[in-house]
Amino acid sequence: MELLDFLRVLGTGLAVVMCSSPLPGIVKNGKLNKLHLVPTPFLYINHSARLMWFAYGMIRNIMSFVYVSSLTGSVSFIILCVFHFYRQTLAKFLVTYALVFSTAFYLVFSFVPFQVLGPIASATNILTYLSNVPKLKSAFSQKDSSQIDLTVTMAATLNASIWCLVALILEDYYFLAPNLVGISSGVLQVSGYFYLSSFASTKKLQ
């Protein structure tokens, strides 16, 4: 197996892990009626990014993007369904999703060239990685590391690292940019989590 193929397989696995990583928090907080702790923007923006990369892969005929985005898009959609199940808004979400998805699908494949779709997909993916940064600000203001979902952050950082290598090999800079942001954002959040955790431990000992 060549390096690129290995990285694609590894990246696909990590992308699935990243997309499914909010599930434990959704179930736990859903049962406790604390869904405000779930990284909600990440759920929506991440799914949107998967759909954008699917469209980008279809238009540019990059089948690896199509396969990965199909898989991760399905996983992220299931996660959204679970989230809305606990919010008791699943039926409303499914109807709204069907209307928005069908409209967006038609517009993208009818009018948007890949020269425009690439930057859009890249920007959406950047927003995915940045969507948890406000939680970091909240965590520092409250001195509470639990505001940062470490599972989601670690999964996103590892995923960005692998796909960054793939993007470099393919020389696809639309794909490289968001993954560089993902690595930077992830390192910042993980560092913040462990700093706040050690701060809380020190405070307890005093």
Side-chain angles (χ1 to χ4, degrees), residues 22 35 45 48 57 62 64 71 102 106 141 151 170-171 174-175 201-202 206:
L35 285 174
I45 301 173
S48 300
I62 306 176
S64 60
L71 180 58
S102 58
Y106 170 74
S141 64
T151 304
L170 294 176
E171 297 184 355
Y174 290 139
F175 202 51
S201 299
T202 304
Q206 291 177 348

Side-chain angles (χ1 to χ4, degrees), residues 45-101:
I45 301 173
N46 179 53
H47 182 63
S48 300
R50 303 299 137 195
L51 299 181
M52 286 298 174
W53 285 123
F54 174 82
Y56 179 72
M58 287 289 291
I59 291 174
R60 289 207 59 193
N61 196 33
I62 306 176
M63 287 299 103
S64 60
F65 283 17
V66 173
Y67 298 146
V68 175
S69 298
S70 298
L71 180 58
T72 54
S74 300
V75 172
S76 58
F77 175 73
I78 292 171
I79 299 301
L80 276 170
C81 288
V82 174
F83 175 72
H84 281 279
F85 170 79
Y86 279 104
R87 285 189 64 182
Q88 300 181 349
T89 55
L90 180 57
K92 180 180 178 181
F93 165 71
L94 291 174
V95 172
T96 304
Y97 183 90
L99 293 173
V100 173
F101 177 78

